[in-house]
Amino acid sequence: MAFGKAGLSGLAPLSSQAREATPFELAGEQVDAQDHRGVAGNVTEFDGNLGLVIGAGGGSLTLFDAVRAHGGKPANYCEIGGNPSVSKACGLAKLVLRKPGVDKIAVMMSIVSNTRVDIVARGVIKACLELGEDPAEKIAIFRIPGAWEEEGFKILERYGVDYADRSVSLNEAARRAVEKIQGAAA
Amino acid sequence: MSILIDADTTFIVQGITGREAVNLTRECLDYGAGAKVVGGVTPGRLGREVHGVPVFDTVAQAVAHHGAPIYGSVVTVPPAFTKDAVFEAIENGVKLIVIVTERIPRRDVAQMVELATLRGARIIGPNCLGIIVPNVIKMGGIGGPAKNAAQAYTPGPIGVISRSGGMTTEMSSTLSAAGLGQSTAVSIGGDAIIGSTYAELMPLFEADEQTQGIVIYTEPGGRMEAELARWVTENNSRLPIVAFMAGRFMDEMPGMSFGHAGTIVEGKEDTASEKIARLAQAGIAVAERIEDIPEMIRAKMSGPGAGSASGGAAGVGAS
């Protein structure tokens, strides 16, 4: 796996010191602070075109690595987990979708047991609709298996969003997302 | 068999009336043979019940009601009160404490671990989801509701140790799908200081006949992987180990924390690349993708190094 620095140029800190939070990251903190339920935040800004709505702690690390390993350029890092509300998931997805240069978002998590699949699905679809976008177009892939997945997958199907269950690995989901965004950009 | 807990393990839930604790209690009661949750503690709530589990003001009351020592406790109280709760459990004879709470001050954690060591108790966590013995018992929120946990975890020969709660389930699910069940899976917590590290759990797996191989999830930050590498080298372990390292991108971003509180690159030893090298030197294969883990551990379990020292078996299946 090649980890060139190209993918992390620009806003990513390459010095030995952590940098100041960007306005985008501060907006992420506001989304997370809007209610106490769960986490939808820990946003770090990068300069790519693939928006990430990912979780949880370990899953986010794994997915960010996987996106880069497949040549993808993440627009951000973030973490959702602990069963955030629909409005929090929506707020985070909206923030990422609105970021200049973001063509699509990938919504991916390791198997969830506390966070509900249907709530995240509702949140990200709501974000697309409120921005006047087609969820099927904007969501490159939705890969969150686990609690309430049947309900979640039903909602995704209704809006034509490409989704994957646990038989699709985190790595494979990341690969599909990168492939789609590269196809769209070409 | 299993490590740490079995079907007969009794435990209490401290902070049982909290929203997450109520759910967790339900999950543990429903899973496998049904956990023996013999009481809950929330000061001021004596006399209540949570899913039929009696609630007490203190751990001492719970022990008195049970009429015998209580082996374990799942601690879900807010960060500021966790130290007191854990001290109370230890002083009342509890031997195994799973701390779910996140964001406990490091100094408090150090003191809890110190007292546990003095009293012969063991802490798992903080900032963890607990322990699961597939189809038998779970202690903590690991795997979620019984039905979800049953989907991901199956009984078998692999011991799983993970710094990420969610990834404990993701990796176990991948192993299960490949026909490799788990003997016990332990979510050890994502904080910088935790009660039980990989190296501290290895002797337990080593002594467990059911366990034939170990799969671990690791991240940048801390010295835990170096400690594991040393343990494996010094103890001539019979168990082959495959590790998965997440957060490789963080090597380019020193000083920034991602994922978990303990996941930060503060020095060269903290980096993913350094850790991978150290693990490999000890004969621990490091997977680049989770889907590669089943074949890698299977090759190691049946390979020439199987059943003896794992040193020298580095790189098996590292495709």
Side-chain angles (χ1 to χ4, degrees):
Chain A
M1 243 187 304
F3 283 98
K5 292 203 173 170
L8 290 175
S9 60
L11 291 155
L14 295 171
S15 71
S16 61
Q17 291 298 314
R19 54 165 171 70
E20 294 281 310
T22 67
F24 177 75
E25 290 164 356
L26 292 173
E29 281 178 28
Q30 277 177 1
V31 169
D32 199 28
Q34 76 183 39
D35 67 59
H36 71 280
R37 282 207 172 192
V39 174
N42 287 347
V43 176
T44 306
E45 182 168 6
F46 292 93
D47 60 356
N49 58 353
L50 178 59
L52 298 179
V53 177
I54 54 177
S60 288
L61 296 176
T62 304
L63 286 158
F64 197 90
D65 277 346
V67 166
R68 296 188 66 215
H70 290 291
K73 295 189 174 68
N76 67 288
Y77 172 91
C78 73
E79 288 164 16
I80 42 178
N83 204 16
S85 61
V86 170
S87 73
K88 233 158 129 165
C90 173
L92 179 64
K94 253 180 164 170
L95 177 74
V96 176
L97 278 163
R98 277 201 191 116
K99 187 174 185 280
V102 168
D103 299 329
K104 290 180 190 297
I105 58 170
V107 184
M108 308 181 286
M109 287 182 78
S110 50
I111 298 171
V112 293
S113 49
N114 180 11
T115 300
R116 279 172 51 173
V117 177
D118 61 326
I119 286 180
V120 181
R122 270 180 230 281
V124 297
I125 287 171
K126 190 161 179 263
C128 294
L129 297 175
E130 286 183 7
L131 293 174
E133 303 281 4
D134 178 5
E137 188 57 39
K138 280 288 159 183
I139 301 172
I141 192 160
F142 183 106
R143 191 274 188 194
I144 308 181
W148 297 73
E149 67 178 17
E150 299 87 355
E151 293 79 358
F153 294 163
K154 247 181 242 164
I155 298 164
L156 293 160
E157 259 167 36
R158 199 179 311 146
Y159 288 91
V161 175
D162 190 8
Y163 67 90
D165 62 14
R166 71 189 64 201
S167 67
V168 173
S169 71
L170 295 172
N171 173 70
E172 172 62 12
R175 191 194 65 75
R176 286 192 198 174
V178 171
E179 191 179 81
K180 264 200 190 166
I181 202 156
Q182 284 172 346
Chain B
M1 277 300 292
S2 54
I3 70 161
L4 298 166
I5 54 173
D6 59 30
D8 298 324
T9 302
T10 52
F11 64 91
I12 54 172
V13 177
Q14 288 175 269
I16 193 166
T17 52
R19 185 170 61 95
E20 296 298 330
V22 168
N23 291 340
L24 176 158
T25 302
R26 177 80 267 157
E27 293 171 13
C28 293
L29 290 170
D30 289 346
Y31 185 73
K36 295 187 165 69
V37 186
V38 296
V41 175
T42 301
R45 301 289 167 85
L46 175 69
R48 290 201 183 191
E49 280 194 357
V50 172
H51 301 305
V53 174
V55 180
F56 304 96
D57 285 336
T58 64
V59 176
Q61 286 170 358
V63 174
H65 179 266
H66 182 55
I70 295 171
Y71 189 74
S73 176
V74 177
V75 179
T76 64
V77 306
F81 311 115
T82 306
K83 188 174 81 176
D84 282 349
V86 170
F87 276 24
E88 189 190 343
I90 294 172
E91 298 298 12
N92 282 282
V94 172
K95 292 298 174 198
L96 177 68
I97 297 159
V98 169
I99 306 176
V100 175
T101 311
E102 269 187 71
R103 303 193 180 100
I104 305 169
R106 273 194 202 191
R107 182 196 161 96
D108 286 5
V109 180
Q111 289 175 351
M112 292 186 273
V113 173
E114 178 104 18
L115 186 69
T117 308
L118 281 172
R119 298 284 189 273
R122 175 185 290 282
I123 290 174
I124 302 291
N127 188 8
C128 81
L129 291 184
I131 310 158
I132 187 166
V133 179
N135 292 1
V136 177
I137 182 175
K138 75 171 193 131
M139 182 176 172
I142 188 163
K147 147 183 115 133
N148 296 97
Q151 222 180 332
Y153 293 91
T154 53
I158 310 295
V160 177
I161 316 175
S162 169
R163 283 171 66 174
S164 158
M167 292 301 285
T168 317
T169 299
E170 182 76 35
M171 291 196 313
S172 297
S173 170
T174 303
L175 288 165
S176 290
L180 288 167
Q182 306 84 45
S183 56
T184 307
V186 188
S187 157
I188 56 173
D191 281 2
I193 304 175
I194 54 172
S196 300
T197 62
Y198 306 115
E200 286 165 334
L201 292 176
M202 280 304 291
L204 278 67
F205 278 119
E206 191 80 23
D208 173 46
E209 280 178 16
Q210 185 185 339
T211 306
Q212 299 301 323
I214 301 289
V215 168
I216 68 170
Y217 167 91
T218 79
E219 296 173 349
R223 304 285 180 270
M224 248 183 288
E225 292 74 15
E227 192 197 329
L228 172 66
R230 195 168 57 241
W231 188 91
V232 165
T233 310
E234 287 173 359
N235 289 275
N236 197 29
S237 173
R238 73 179 169 88
L239 297 170
I241 305 177
V242 172
F244 175 75
M245 171 70 63
R248 295 173 188 232
F249 70 95
M250 288 178 56
D251 284 8
E252 297 162 39
M253 283 170 260
M256 292 192 69
S257 178
F258 293 88
H260 301 109
T263 313
I264 181 166
V265 175
E266 291 175 313
K268 190 163 179 280
E269 280 195 15
D270 293 342
T271 61
S273 49
E274 185 79 7
K275 288 187 180 200
I276 290 167
R278 222 172 256 259
L279 291 169
Q281 274 167 17
I284 298 168
V286 181
E288 293 201 345
R289 308 182 311 174
I290 289 162
E291 55 264 50
D292 297 337
I293 295 173
E295 280 322 302
M296 287 170 75
I297 191 72
R298 206 171 249 141
K300 283 197 146 224
M301 281 171 18
S302 62
S308 65
S310 56
V316 173
S319 53

